[in-house]
Amino acid sequence: MNSTYSLEDLRYLMQRLRDKETGCPWDIQQDFRSITASTIEEAYEVVDAIEYGSKEDVKEELGDLLFQIIFYNQLAEEEGSFGLEDIIHALTAKLIRRHPHVFPQGNLNAKRTTALTEDDIKAQWEAIKAQERQQKKKPSLLDDIPVGLPAITRAVKLQKRATAVNLDWPSAWAVFDKVDEEITELKEAVAAQDACAIEQELGDVLFSVVNLARHLKVQPEGALRAANKKFSVRVEGVHALAKQKDIDLLQASAKVLDDLWRQVKASNL
């Protein structure tokens, strides 16, 4: 048995799984659409392993994500639309094209001779992507931002794209004011007991907070994951402390619950 399998071994394995006579019945039935949910799930599991797992976990989950790419590649090769070499070529060409400050004149081996500022690189990146949209006959500024992205991720991409046409707040402090304004409007909607307005205004609050995170150079998705983790740890801490003190959380008063929460928080959980 081979002690170190290669990419070609993985491709051969995928071919075997898809073999109509001797392959796996489940794999044989799949198509591009049917495995998209698995692709999304595997991507999230990579993130989860990075956040909470070991390097061994990360390695395993990256392998699972790679398998999704190999699966799509096998489907494409079967229908004769493209192959793995085409994927790699298109990706490499795109990255070279989008990084002229690293690869001058689109030459993979050329060395850069000038240094650009972060703002220059961002402006250059957006200009290149705008040119790509024109070539793909997608003239709309936002046309290529997938609607199926997680809402927070899509909000960040929409806001970043808007900066290309100077539609952005001048500073984080201006966004703070916008957040305050949206919260005031949400309170008014709640006071009016207008369900539709409440949902709309709450969405505006969330969108503004994402904008604030972007201006503070914080990844909102990562910040929220960290907050989720912290909340989970504290809830577990309260549950354990209540059990230790023989307190029934379902029967406890608001004051007792608050006291338990503060104790757990004070312990830096």
Side-chain angles (χ1 to χ4, degrees):
M1 184 177 71
N2 193 337
S3 59
T4 304
Y5 291 110
S6 67
L7 179 60
E8 287 309 309
D9 290 326
L10 181 58
R11 295 177 70 178
Y12 174 66
L13 178 149
M14 188 70 251
Q15 292 169 8
R16 290 284 307 276
L17 290 174
R18 288 279 296 175
D19 187 286
K20 288 182 170 50
E21 294 183 0
T22 62
C24 171
W26 185 88
D27 291 282
I28 294 170
Q29 293 174 3
Q30 304 313 306
D31 57 26
F32 273 90
R33 289 184 178 275
S34 68
I35 63 173
T36 54
S38 296
T39 306
I40 294 170
E41 181 180 337
E42 296 299 351
Y44 276 114
E45 289 183 1
V46 168
V47 175
D48 191 66
I50 292 171
E51 292 282 345
Y52 307 116
S54 65
K55 287 297 188 294
E56 193 66 26
D57 294 330
V58 174
K59 180 180 72 173
E60 180 179 348
E61 297 304 339
L62 284 172
D64 291 343
L65 185 57
L66 174 60
F67 180 72
Q68 296 296 305
I69 297 171
I70 297 300
F71 207 144
Y72 287 115
N73 174 71
Q74 178 63 29
L75 295 172
E77 287 189 339
E78 289 174 5
E79 67 181 25
S81 54
F82 58 81
L84 188 60
E85 291 74 16
D86 300 310
I87 297 172
I88 294 172
H89 173 78
L91 172 62
T92 304
K94 179 172 67 175
L95 292 175
I96 292 172
R97 183 174 66 251
R98 290 184 177 181
H99 295 82
H101 54 290
V102 179
F103 309 107
Q105 289 81 50
N107 187 336
L108 180 62
N109 298 309
K111 304 296 183 182
R112 68 179 185 184
T113 56
T114 58
L116 299 179
T117 67
E118 184 178 349
D119 288 340
D120 289 336
I121 292 172
K122 286 181 179 179
Q124 179 179 262
W125 178 273
E126 290 302 332
I128 292 169
K129 293 195 72 174
Q131 184 180 34
E132 291 175 354
R133 286 194 299 276
Q134 290 288 348
Q135 292 173 346
K136 292 180 180 179
K137 297 181 179 180
K138 291 185 176 183
S140 170
L141 181 67
L142 309 175
D143 200 41
D144 61 338
I145 301 179
V147 295
L149 286 173
I152 288 180
T153 301
R154 189 163 193 265
V156 172
K157 288 184 174 294
L158 289 170
Q159 292 166 7
K160 283 184 177 179
R161 188 63 59 78
T163 64
V165 290
N166 205 32
L167 293 175
D168 198 9
W169 298 99
S171 69
W173 293 110
V175 187
F176 271 115
D177 292 338
K178 183 61 177 175
V179 172
D180 289 340
E181 175 189 325
E182 297 296 353
I183 289 176
T184 297
E185 292 179 0
L186 174 60
K187 289 178 178 178
E188 293 172 352
V190 172
Q193 298 183 349
D194 186 333
C196 290
I198 289 172
E199 180 177 1
Q200 179 179 329
E201 297 301 340
L202 182 57
D204 290 345
V205 170
L206 294 173
F207 191 83
S208 297
V209 170
V210 170
N211 218 336
L212 178 60
R214 184 174 59 84
H215 275 268
L216 295 175
K217 300 187 184 306
V218 172
Q219 290 290 339
E221 184 71 30
L224 186 55
R225 283 201 306 271
N228 287 341
K229 181 179 179 181
K230 180 170 63 177
F231 179 76
S232 298
V233 169
R234 288 180 178 175
V235 168
E236 294 293 349
V238 168
H239 185 260
L241 185 59
K243 190 173 182 180
Q244 178 184 328
K245 293 176 176 288
D246 197 26
I247 296 174
D248 184 350
L249 291 175
L250 295 178
Q251 301 297 324
S253 67
K255 183 179 183 307
V256 170
L257 292 173
D258 184 63
D259 183 57
L260 290 171
W261 185 269
R262 290 178 182 277
Q263 290 181 59
V264 170
K265 184 178 179 180
S267 64
N268 293 321
L269 290 178

